[in-house]
Amino acid sequence: MFERRNAVHWNVQTHRRRARPSRRGAAHWARPAAQQTIEIDVLIPTADRGPELAVTLSGLAAQDNPAFRVVVSDQSEDPVEQVPAVSAMIRVLRAQGRAVDVHRHLPRRGLAEQRDFLLSCAAAPRVLYLDDDVWLEPGSLSRLDASLSEQRCGFVGYAVQGLSFLDDPRPDELSAFEPWPPSGVRPEYVRPDTPEHERWPLHNAANLAHLAARLELQDDDRLAYRVAWIGACVLFDTAALRSAGGFAFWRELPAYHVGEDRVAQWRVMERRGGAGILPSGAVHLEAPTSIVDRRIEASDELFPESGSSRPEPQKKGDDMSASSNPIEVQRSLGGVDYPADRSALVDAARNSGASDDVVQALEGLPDQTYDSPTAVSEALSD
């Protein structure tokens, strides 16, 4: 099992004035909506899951920022908009000032084709692929968006959690947890026969909730970690996804397949890298799967000899220590009145009972004045 003090790298949220919500409150629902610049297209594939989709839309209705549009690809037997709960939530989103486009997209030719169709509908610089059985905690979209900006990689995501497993801790499945270092996310090569693939148990059950508790994370923390892949809630840089081919590989697969999301992610990871984000605000509704024929795994079809062409591995960052743990440092500097010089920071840390590692990290900072906690964190990362 990893050690908290030397394995965790934290992404500290930049302190800035809170942006005005792009979501319109109830007092404005009957007024003409101002046109917004859409920053994220939320892409949702669905088929015969009206109640679950309504819950997914309700989670989106609780998001304040950034401005987003919802695009639904509906392959239900009967139009999903006929489900009262779904149509009600679409009305709520539109009253809030959100654009919602629902497309009847038939016949069914597999999830990869459905995701490819959704990508063809996207116009925003970022796309969130969100499954139709996932509820997002308020603030999730903003935190994912900020994480993608911070990491400057191909994608970030929240692995979904089954909260029925909160009383089922699985410490052995957390052994593969590895945060990304302060230098940020880097490209990786992942295939079924590589060691990186063995990170997949991290996303079982409610493992991420238990991991967040063990690491004493706060709600607004954004901790980037290495993944095998992420299912159901992934925010892509649209250009990065398209340059990696998106889901155009659907033509090489039979209609009955699974695993198309990880194929697309692996191709993006090779070029731009990808990361999971903790704590995860995504909750799996734990409804029965709508994909009953799971005989064809997309990666097996598309990468039949994955180990034979593996590129030279990327160098991994050194093991993390408390000296490069910005949130632990910031907790030791809670009473500092900024701007403050290095000497004041060291004194404050000692007075708060900080560890020797934290004190040594602060002593190693350049001898200058720091105007904010963010400036200290950036200096530590450098």
Side-chain angles (χ1 to χ4, degrees):
M1 185 59 189
F2 59 91
E3 293 292 333
R4 176 179 181 275
R5 67 177 296 176
N6 65 11
V8 180
H9 167 58
W10 313 79
N11 292 314
V12 181
Q13 186 173 18
T14 301
H15 293 266
R16 64 183 69 171
R17 183 175 297 177
R18 188 177 298 275
R20 182 177 180 180
S22 62
R23 173 175 58 88
R24 301 198 315 162
H28 301 270
W29 288 351
R31 303 178 189 180
Q35 187 172 5
Q36 296 182 340
T37 300
I38 304 301
E39 299 178 50
I40 295 176
D41 280 328
V42 180
L43 309 180
I44 307 176
T46 193
D48 299 314
R49 291 186 122 182
E52 292 85 357
L53 177 61
V55 175
T56 298
L57 295 176
S58 73
L60 291 172
Q63 306 301 314
D64 282 336
N65 288 314
F68 64 89
R69 174 177 67 135
V70 179
V71 184
V72 178
S73 173
D74 177 25
Q75 296 187 335
S76 305
E77 184 173 345
D78 297 314
V80 74
E81 287 182 284
Q82 295 179 1
V83 177
V86 172
S87 59
M89 291 315 306
I90 291 174
R91 289 193 294 269
V92 168
L93 284 160
R94 288 172 174 162
Q96 293 176 335
R98 312 298 191 192
V100 181
D101 299 336
V102 181
H103 300 275
R104 288 283 288 163
H105 183 60
L106 294 168
R108 298 187 187 184
R109 288 173 285 187
L111 261 173
E113 190 278 336
Q114 195 178 18
R115 294 185 190 277
D116 186 60
F117 168 75
L118 282 165
L119 186 58
S120 74
C121 297
R126 294 177 175 180
V127 293
L128 175 70
Y129 274 96
L130 186 65
D131 281 6
D132 61 357
D133 59 350
V134 177
W135 177 84
L136 288 181
E137 177 188 37
S140 292
L141 196 61
S142 177
R143 292 193 291 274
L144 285 173
D145 183 60
S147 297
L148 189 56
S149 295
E150 291 163 356
Q151 298 300 329
R152 293 179 290 180
C153 57
F155 69 83
V156 297
Y158 279 162
V160 296
Q161 305 170 91
L163 298 189
S164 67
F165 295 91
L166 281 179
D167 294 329
D168 181 16
R170 304 179 181 187
D172 291 345
E173 293 186 345
L174 305 183
S175 60
F177 174 70
E178 185 179 0
W180 280 101
S183 56
V185 177
R186 294 291 181 267
E188 286 193 293
Y189 180 88
V190 181
R191 293 292 188 272
D193 60 351
T194 64
E196 291 82 1
H197 186 268
E198 297 311 305
R199 301 166 184 161
W200 66 264
L202 282 172
H203 295 164
N204 283 345
N207 283 347
L208 295 188
H210 293 121
L211 186 56
R214 178 165 300 192
L215 297 175
E216 300 179 3
L217 294 180
Q218 301 303 307
D219 290 336
D220 287 334
D221 288 343
R222 299 193 293 270
L223 169 55
Y225 65 97
R226 299 175 187 262
V227 297
W229 74 91
I230 305 171
C233 180
V234 183
L235 180 66
F236 289 93
D237 177 286
T238 307
L241 178 57
R242 284 179 169 149
S243 67
F247 294 88
F249 56 79
W250 69 266
R251 296 175 178 84
E252 304 173 49
L253 297 171
Y256 46 92
H257 62 259
V258 294
E260 77 294 332
D261 48 352
R262 69 177 186 172
V263 169
Q265 288 175 41
W266 287 348
R267 289 177 170 174
V268 172
M269 289 172 77
E270 290 175 26
R271 294 163 172 81
R272 293 280 302 277
I277 303 297
L278 278 177
S280 170
V283 176
H284 187 233
L285 302 186
E286 302 184 59
T289 180
S290 58
I291 309 298
V292 294
D293 191 338
R294 311 179 72 85
R295 288 174 293 170
I296 301 298
E297 170 55 58
S299 63
D300 293 340
E301 295 292 305
L302 298 171
F303 309 126
E305 298 178 358
S306 58
S308 62
S309 60
R310 177 170 183 161
E312 287 298 315
Q314 298 279 330
K315 273 192 172 182
K316 294 184 178 180
D318 296 331
D319 287 342
M320 306 312 300
S321 68
S323 65
S324 55
N325 181 336
I327 285 185
E328 185 171 336
V329 172
Q330 295 301 344
R331 286 173 179 163
S332 72
L333 300 178
V336 171
D337 185 17
Y338 291 93
D341 59 19
R342 181 180 65 184
S343 177
L345 297 175
V346 171
D347 289 345
R350 284 178 173 148
N351 292 336
S352 69
S355 67
D356 291 341
D357 285 335
V358 168
V359 173
Q360 290 173 9
L362 293 171
E363 289 176 336
L365 288 172
D367 190 7
Q368 64 187 45
T369 298
Y370 299 87
D371 59 6
S372 69
T374 300
V376 175
S377 296
E378 290 175 349
L380 287 171
S381 295
D382 292 340

PDB file of all heavy atoms in Angstrom, residues 160-178:
ATOM      1  N   VAL A 160     -16.571   6.536 -12.130  1.00  0.00           N
ATOM      2  CA  VAL A 160     -17.837   6.491 -11.403  1.00  0.00           C
ATOM      3  C   VAL A 160     -17.730   5.556 -10.206  1.00  0.00           C
ATOM      4  O   VAL A 160     -16.994   4.565 -10.220  1.00  0.00           O
ATOM      5  CB  VAL A 160     -18.990   6.061 -12.321  1.00  0.00           C
ATOM      6  CG1 VAL A 160     -19.209   7.103 -13.413  1.00  0.00           C
ATOM      7  CG2 VAL A 160     -18.728   4.692 -12.941  1.00  0.00           C
ATOM      8  N   GLN A 161     -18.507   5.868  -9.166  1.00  0.00           N
ATOM      9  CA  GLN A 161     -18.471   5.116  -7.922  1.00  0.00           C
ATOM     10  C   GLN A 161     -19.843   4.524  -7.626  1.00  0.00           C
ATOM     11  O   GLN A 161     -20.862   5.191  -7.820  1.00  0.00           O
ATOM     12  CB  GLN A 161     -18.074   6.035  -6.766  1.00  0.00           C
ATOM     13  CG  GLN A 161     -16.762   6.752  -6.995  1.00  0.00           C
ATOM     14  CD  GLN A 161     -16.525   7.833  -5.964  1.00  0.00           C
ATOM     15  OE1 GLN A 161     -15.918   7.585  -4.921  1.00  0.00           O
ATOM     16  NE2 GLN A 161     -16.998   9.038  -6.238  1.00  0.00           N
ATOM     17  N   GLY A 162     -19.851   3.304  -7.150  1.00  0.00           N
ATOM     18  CA  GLY A 162     -21.088   2.679  -6.691  1.00  0.00           C
ATOM     19  C   GLY A 162     -21.200   2.845  -5.189  1.00  0.00           C
ATOM     20  O   GLY A 162     -20.489   2.186  -4.420  1.00  0.00           O
ATOM     21  N   LEU A 163     -22.070   3.727  -4.759  1.00  0.00           N
ATOM     22  CA  LEU A 163     -22.130   4.064  -3.329  1.00  0.00           C
ATOM     23  C   LEU A 163     -22.754   2.959  -2.484  1.00  0.00           C
ATOM     24  O   LEU A 163     -22.700   3.035  -1.252  1.00  0.00           O
ATOM     25  CB  LEU A 163     -22.877   5.384  -3.135  1.00  0.00           C
ATOM     26  CG  LEU A 163     -22.232   6.610  -3.795  1.00  0.00           C
ATOM     27  CD1 LEU A 163     -22.924   7.887  -3.346  1.00  0.00           C
ATOM     28  CD2 LEU A 163     -20.733   6.679  -3.487  1.00  0.00           C
ATOM     29  N   SER A 164     -23.300   1.928  -3.111  1.00  0.00           N
ATOM     30  CA  SER A 164     -23.752   0.781  -2.319  1.00  0.00           C
ATOM     31  C   SER A 164     -22.570   0.033  -1.716  1.00  0.00           C
ATOM     32  O   SER A 164     -22.750  -0.824  -0.845  1.00  0.00           O
ATOM     33  CB  SER A 164     -24.580  -0.177  -3.186  1.00  0.00           C
ATOM     34  OG  SER A 164     -23.770  -0.793  -4.169  1.00  0.00           O
ATOM     35  N   PHE A 165     -21.342   0.362  -2.162  1.00  0.00           N
ATOM     36  CA  PHE A 165     -20.132  -0.301  -1.689  1.00  0.00           C
ATOM     37  C   PHE A 165     -19.373   0.539  -0.656  1.00  0.00           C
ATOM     38  O   PHE A 165     -18.217   0.236  -0.357  1.00  0.00           O
ATOM     39  CB  PHE A 165     -19.212  -0.617  -2.865  1.00  0.00           C
ATOM     40  CG  PHE A 165     -19.771  -1.608  -3.846  1.00  0.00           C
ATOM     41  CD1 PHE A 165     -20.506  -1.170  -4.932  1.00  0.00           C
ATOM     42  CD2 PHE A 165     -19.583  -2.969  -3.676  1.00  0.00           C
ATOM     43  CE1 PHE A 165     -21.029  -2.072  -5.847  1.00  0.00           C
ATOM     44  CE2 PHE A 165     -20.097  -3.878  -4.578  1.00  0.00           C
ATOM     45  CZ  PHE A 165     -20.829  -3.426  -5.668  1.00  0.00           C
ATOM     46  N   LEU A 166     -20.001   1.561  -0.108  1.00  0.00           N
ATOM     47  CA  LEU A 166     -19.295   2.391   0.868  1.00  0.00           C
ATOM     48  C   LEU A 166     -18.853   1.609   2.097  1.00  0.00           C
ATOM     49  O   LEU A 166     -17.884   1.976   2.760  1.00  0.00           O
ATOM     50  CB  LEU A 166     -20.182   3.568   1.291  1.00  0.00           C
ATOM     51  CG  LEU A 166     -20.257   4.740   0.301  1.00  0.00           C
ATOM     52  CD1 LEU A 166     -21.195   5.820   0.830  1.00  0.00           C
ATOM     53  CD2 LEU A 166     -18.875   5.321   0.024  1.00  0.00           C
ATOM     54  N   ASP A 167     -19.562   0.541   2.397  1.00  0.00           N
ATOM     55  CA  ASP A 167     -19.185  -0.300   3.542  1.00  0.00           C
ATOM     56  C   ASP A 167     -18.334  -1.493   3.115  1.00  0.00           C
ATOM     57  O   ASP A 167     -18.202  -2.470   3.858  1.00  0.00           O
ATOM     58  CB  ASP A 167     -20.445  -0.793   4.268  1.00  0.00           C
ATOM     59  CG  ASP A 167     -21.220   0.339   4.918  1.00  0.00           C
ATOM     60  OD1 ASP A 167     -20.586   1.330   5.328  1.00  0.00           O
ATOM     61  OD2 ASP A 167     -22.462   0.247   4.997  1.00  0.00           O
ATOM     62  N   ASP A 168     -17.759  -1.411   1.934  1.00  0.00           N
ATOM     63  CA  ASP A 168     -16.966  -2.512   1.392  1.00  0.00           C
ATOM     64  C   ASP A 168     -15.593  -2.000   0.965  1.00  0.00           C
ATOM     65  O   ASP A 168     -15.272  -1.944  -0.225  1.00  0.00           O
ATOM     66  CB  ASP A 168     -17.709  -3.131   0.197  1.00  0.00           C
ATOM     67  CG  ASP A 168     -16.954  -4.303  -0.425  1.00  0.00           C
ATOM     68  OD1 ASP A 168     -16.022  -4.830   0.219  1.00  0.00           O
ATOM     69  OD2 ASP A 168     -17.289  -4.678  -1.571  1.00  0.00           O
ATOM     70  N   PRO A 169     -14.744  -1.593   1.912  1.00  0.00           N
ATOM     71  CA  PRO A 169     -13.407  -1.120   1.541  1.00  0.00           C
ATOM     72  C   PRO A 169     -12.561  -2.245   0.968  1.00  0.00           C
ATOM     73  O   PRO A 169     -12.637  -3.389   1.422  1.00  0.00           O
ATOM     74  CB  PRO A 169     -12.831  -0.603   2.868  1.00  0.00           C
ATOM     75  CG  PRO A 169     -13.584  -1.349   3.922  1.00  0.00           C
ATOM     76  CD  PRO A 169     -14.961  -1.573   3.366  1.00  0.00           C
ATOM     77  N   ARG A 170     -11.743  -1.908  -0.019  1.00  0.00           N
ATOM     78  CA  ARG A 170     -10.908  -2.898  -0.687  1.00  0.00           C
ATOM     79  C   ARG A 170      -9.480  -2.370  -0.791  1.00  0.00           C
ATOM     80  O   ARG A 170      -9.027  -1.963  -1.870  1.00  0.00           O
ATOM     81  CB  ARG A 170     -11.472  -3.209  -2.078  1.00  0.00           C
ATOM     82  CG  ARG A 170     -12.916  -3.677  -2.059  1.00  0.00           C
ATOM     83  CD  ARG A 170     -13.442  -3.942  -3.454  1.00  0.00           C
ATOM     84  NE  ARG A 170     -14.829  -4.377  -3.432  1.00  0.00           N
ATOM     85  CZ  ARG A 170     -15.500  -4.811  -4.507  1.00  0.00           C
ATOM     86  NH1 ARG A 170     -14.888  -4.853  -5.691  1.00  0.00           N
ATOM     87  NH2 ARG A 170     -16.763  -5.170  -4.406  1.00  0.00           N
ATOM     88  N   PRO A 171      -8.757  -2.368   0.306  1.00  0.00           N
ATOM     89  CA  PRO A 171      -7.416  -1.764   0.296  1.00  0.00           C
ATOM     90  C   PRO A 171      -6.460  -2.410  -0.704  1.00  0.00           C
ATOM     91  O   PRO A 171      -5.601  -1.726  -1.256  1.00  0.00           O
ATOM     92  CB  PRO A 171      -6.940  -1.951   1.735  1.00  0.00           C
ATOM     93  CG  PRO A 171      -7.815  -3.009   2.327  1.00  0.00           C
ATOM     94  CD  PRO A 171      -9.124  -2.880   1.641  1.00  0.00           C
ATOM     95  N   ASP A 172      -6.613  -3.707  -0.951  1.00  0.00           N
ATOM     96  CA  ASP A 172      -5.709  -4.370  -1.888  1.00  0.00           C
ATOM     97  C   ASP A 172      -5.857  -3.811  -3.304  1.00  0.00           C
ATOM     98  O   ASP A 172      -4.893  -3.837  -4.087  1.00  0.00           O
ATOM     99  CB  ASP A 172      -5.968  -5.872  -1.910  1.00  0.00           C
ATOM    100  CG  ASP A 172      -5.549  -6.549  -0.616  1.00  0.00           C
ATOM    101  OD1 ASP A 172      -4.812  -5.915   0.165  1.00  0.00           O
ATOM    102  OD2 ASP A 172      -5.963  -7.699  -0.384  1.00  0.00           O
ATOM    103  N   GLU A 173      -7.049  -3.327  -3.639  1.00  0.00           N
ATOM    104  CA  GLU A 173      -7.276  -2.806  -4.983  1.00  0.00           C
ATOM    105  C   GLU A 173      -6.746  -1.391  -5.155  1.00  0.00           C
ATOM    106  O   GLU A 173      -6.773  -0.851  -6.267  1.00  0.00           O
ATOM    107  CB  GLU A 173      -8.766  -2.863  -5.323  1.00  0.00           C
ATOM    108  CG  GLU A 173      -9.293  -4.276  -5.438  1.00  0.00           C
ATOM    109  CD  GLU A 173     -10.717  -4.357  -5.912  1.00  0.00           C
ATOM    110  OE1 GLU A 173     -11.429  -3.329  -5.899  1.00  0.00           O
ATOM    111  OE2 GLU A 173     -11.145  -5.459  -6.301  1.00  0.00           O
ATOM    112  N   LEU A 174      -6.279  -0.779  -4.077  1.00  0.00           N
ATOM    113  CA  LEU A 174      -5.745   0.576  -4.155  1.00  0.00           C
ATOM    114  C   LEU A 174      -4.230   0.597  -4.328  1.00  0.00           C
ATOM    115  O   LEU A 174      -3.635   1.676  -4.426  1.00  0.00           O
ATOM    116  CB  LEU A 174      -6.107   1.363  -2.888  1.00  0.00           C
ATOM    117  CG  LEU A 174      -7.597   1.436  -2.533  1.00  0.00           C
ATOM    118  CD1 LEU A 174      -7.794   2.307  -1.303  1.00  0.00           C
ATOM    119  CD2 LEU A 174      -8.422   1.943  -3.693  1.00  0.00           C
ATOM    120  N   SER A 175      -3.611  -0.566  -4.379  1.00  0.00           N
ATOM    121  CA  SER A 175      -2.146  -0.621  -4.403  1.00  0.00           C
ATOM    122  C   SER A 175      -1.557  -0.011  -5.671  1.00  0.00           C
ATOM    123  O   SER A 175      -0.397   0.411  -5.685  1.00  0.00           O
ATOM    124  CB  SER A 175      -1.670  -2.066  -4.259  1.00  0.00           C
ATOM    125  OG  SER A 175      -2.176  -2.866  -5.317  1.00  0.00           O
ATOM    126  N   ALA A 176      -2.333   0.049  -6.746  1.00  0.00           N
ATOM    127  CA  ALA A 176      -1.818   0.597  -8.003  1.00  0.00           C
ATOM    128  C   ALA A 176      -1.939   2.118  -8.072  1.00  0.00           C
ATOM    129  O   ALA A 176      -1.529   2.720  -9.071  1.00  0.00           O
ATOM    130  CB  ALA A 176      -2.558  -0.023  -9.188  1.00  0.00           C
ATOM    131  N   PHE A 177      -2.474   2.733  -7.029  1.00  0.00           N
ATOM    132  CA  PHE A 177      -2.661   4.186  -7.063  1.00  0.00           C
ATOM    133  C   PHE A 177      -1.321   4.900  -7.176  1.00  0.00           C
ATOM    134  O   PHE A 177      -0.393   4.649  -6.409  1.00  0.00           O
ATOM    135  CB  PHE A 177      -3.385   4.650  -5.802  1.00  0.00           C
ATOM    136  CG  PHE A 177      -3.486   6.146  -5.690  1.00  0.00           C
ATOM    137  CD1 PHE A 177      -4.314   6.856  -6.540  1.00  0.00           C
ATOM    138  CD2 PHE A 177      -2.743   6.837  -4.741  1.00  0.00           C
ATOM    139  CE1 PHE A 177      -4.402   8.235  -6.448  1.00  0.00           C
ATOM    140  CE2 PHE A 177      -2.827   8.208  -4.638  1.00  0.00           C
ATOM    141  CZ  PHE A 177      -3.663   8.909  -5.492  1.00  0.00           C
ATOM    142  N   GLU A 178      -1.226   5.800  -8.147  1.00  0.00           N
ATOM    143  CA  GLU A 178       0.006   6.556  -8.365  1.00  0.00           C
ATOM    144  C   GLU A 178      -0.344   7.952  -8.872  1.00  0.00           C
ATOM    145  O   GLU A 178      -0.788   8.107 -10.016  1.00  0.00           O
ATOM    146  CB  GLU A 178       0.907   5.842  -9.375  1.00  0.00           C
ATOM    147  CG  GLU A 178       2.260   6.517  -9.561  1.00  0.00           C
ATOM    148  CD  GLU A 178       3.147   5.784 -10.543  1.00  0.00           C
ATOM    149  OE1 GLU A 178       2.714   4.741 -11.084  1.00  0.00           O
ATOM    150  OE2 GLU A 178       4.272   6.261 -10.781  1.00  0.00           O
TER     151      GLU A 178
END
